[in-house]
Amino acid sequence: HRTGNRIGAVLAAPEGHQIVPARGGKDHLMAVLHRLIAAARHPTGRTDLPGALSTLGGIARRRGLVAVVSDFLSPPETWQQPLARLAVRHETLCIEVVDPREVELPSVGVLALEDPRTGEVFEIQTSDSGLRERYAAAAAAQRAAIADAIRAAGADHLQLRTDRDWLLDIVHFVAQRRDRTRDVA
């Protein structure tokens, strides 16, 4: 009995996790992709990445490729261990989605920002170059901590930015990975 390549998903949303059982076939692939697109249109809110990783680890029994697509903005100490448990059993690729507005503030005068955790709105003066430098340094440190945590968990890391061509970045990543694998062999 051939099972072929199967695909499933655990979708983390603010209202909880949705599990799409792994199945084969083009129709199922298209259904999973449709669910992913629909999930991406959800209103913003906090999701439970560690819980989603743990759920996935509990249902993904067969060895395979696990792709985790997230901004990874939750503190790494909350998701690194569940990710490491996944990486022990599965080939694991973390795809970090980065919006340039999360790493650099433009100089646009007074800007109102909302804390996603509390809903509190803050007004900041973005023409202050010192503030922009501190923000960029804090964002760079946060991205470095995310990359370190992913590597320490034993997963591969691909960063995709919303202001770049994702396809070219993916092709570059695959070529680098192929070259790295060839050098090890």
Side-chain angles (χ1 to χ4, degrees):
H1 172 54
R2 285 184 51 208
T3 58
N5 291 331
R6 298 162 19 117
I7 185 170
V10 173
L11 306 173
E15 62 273 4
H17 305 118
Q18 298 175 27
I19 298 171
V20 181
R23 293 196 181 101
K26 183 179 177 184
D27 289 344
H28 181 67
L29 169 63
M30 298 309 288
V32 169
L33 291 174
H34 177 74
R35 299 261 314 254
L36 289 171
I37 291 167
R41 291 187 181 138
H42 275 270
T44 59
R46 194 173 190 131
T47 60
D48 179 15
L49 178 60
L53 295 171
S54 295
T55 297
L56 179 57
I59 63 174
R61 303 264 184 240
R62 294 183 182 175
R63 289 186 187 276
L65 171 65
V66 170
V68 180
V69 181
S70 175
D71 58 15
F72 294 93
L73 291 179
S74 299
E77 57 273 10
T78 65
W79 50 259
Q80 185 179 16
Q81 284 303 94
L83 180 62
R85 285 192 293 275
L86 270 176
V88 165
R89 180 159 184 83
H90 305 281
E91 183 177 350
T92 306
L93 170 61
C94 292
I95 301 170
E96 177 190 8
V97 180
V98 177
D99 186 317
R101 294 172 293 187
E102 295 169 350
V103 295
E104 189 175 298
L105 281 176
S107 180
V108 292
V110 176
L111 185 64
L113 300 174
E114 181 179 342
D115 183 331
R117 293 186 186 129
T118 65
E120 188 175 355
V121 176
F122 299 91
E123 288 189 355
I124 60 170
Q125 180 52 262
T126 62
S127 61
D128 178 346
S129 62
L131 172 72
R132 290 194 318 272
E133 288 170 12
R134 289 189 307 276
Y135 183 89
Q142 180 184 44
R143 295 295 165 199
I146 290 168
D148 290 346
I150 290 170
R151 268 193 304 280
D156 284 329
H157 181 212
L158 168 59
Q159 187 181 84
L160 297 179
R161 289 179 52 113
T162 59
D163 62 341
R164 292 180 41 103
D165 185 336
W166 289 19
L167 186 56
L168 287 177
D169 289 342
I170 291 170
V171 168
H172 181 57
F173 173 81
V174 170
Q176 279 186 322
R177 191 165 184 268
R178 183 189 63 228
D179 292 346
R180 190 175 66 231
T181 304
R182 189 180 302 145
D183 291 343
V184 172

